[in-house]
Amino acid sequence: MTVPRLVVVTDHTQTSRPLPDVVAAAVTAGARAVLLRDKDLPLPERRALAGELRTRLDPVGGLLIWGGATGAPEGTAVHLSATDAFPAERPPLVGRSCHSAAELARAAAEGCDWVFLSPVFPTSSKPGYGPALGLDGLAALVPGAPPVLALGGVRPEDVPGCLAAGAHGVAVMGAVMRDPTVVGAHLAALGVPAGAPRT
């Protein structure tokens, strides 16, 4: 199992055009893993949207990740919130959002394949989770955790610091939803060639 170095997290409320078009542009820019979050949408609409995103990702060997514990199409990777119960039947890949040492320990005990750790930097997209961890906070929490993807206000210029702090990679939402071409700069900072497999 290969954990992505970059995950694009969707939020249709931050886009100025249809979400499938934004994801298509992000894929063109090199994205190969997309987390369909958008939990405010009705389940049938989310499932239809997942099908549309697969048409963008499948041709390039990309990975679609379903946000949440329920309703995931069969055989789809899943990303759980900090409070979601672990599925009784394990999906092929499972990630979890974490904000503390206790949540990271839980994810490790569950055998999660990766975790998002946030917020690393101040961001309006992740309110209510306390102050930003900063690079020192990130570095303090990484040991013993599953592969960590830093989330929360991570700009391309922040990526080297996140990697030096021990992060496996990064997850990006708002910046990519507003301008999907920024994916290329994040990948360059990660040292991943645009269009490379999801490594």
Side-chain angles (χ1 to χ4, degrees):
M1 190 284 304
T2 301
V3 176
R5 301 286 306 283
L6 171 70
V7 175
V8 170
V9 183
T10 68
D11 180 358
H12 70 98
T13 68
Q14 297 193 55
T15 67
S16 59
R17 49 183 164 150
L19 187 57
D21 294 347
V22 173
V23 169
V27 169
T28 298
R32 293 296 179 265
V34 174
L35 166 58
L36 175 57
R37 194 168 173 272
D38 300 284
K39 298 177 185 178
D40 60 313
L41 298 176
L43 182 56
E45 190 173 340
R46 283 187 80 205
R47 281 179 168 268
L49 192 52
E52 288 190 69
L53 300 190
R54 279 193 184 280
T55 67
R56 275 64 172 185
L57 287 162
D58 286 352
V60 296
L63 175 68
L64 177 68
I65 306 165
W66 181 267
T70 59
E74 187 175 351
T76 302
V78 168
H79 186 85
L80 307 172
S81 75
T83 57
D84 284 334
F86 199 87
E89 186 171 334
R90 194 189 198 281
L93 296 170
V94 184
R96 186 181 283 284
S97 291
C98 297
H99 314 92
S100 67
E103 290 175 357
L104 289 168
R106 173 191 179 187
E110 292 171 326
C112 288
D113 297 296
W114 68 79
V115 294
F116 289 178
L117 184 56
S118 69
V120 177
F121 302 106
T123 172
S124 60
S125 298
K126 299 289 290 184
Y129 289 105
L133 295 167
L135 294 177
D136 288 343
L138 175 64
L141 291 171
V142 165
V148 169
L149 299 178
L151 172 66
V154 181
R155 303 164 299 174
E157 58 266 34
D158 298 318
V159 170
C162 291
L163 297 180
H168 173 78
V170 300
V172 187
M173 183 169 66
V176 177
M177 292 298 98
R178 294 185 291 271
D179 177 13
T181 64
V182 75
V183 163
H186 282 90
L187 289 171
L190 286 164
V192 177
R198 56 173 197 267
T199 57

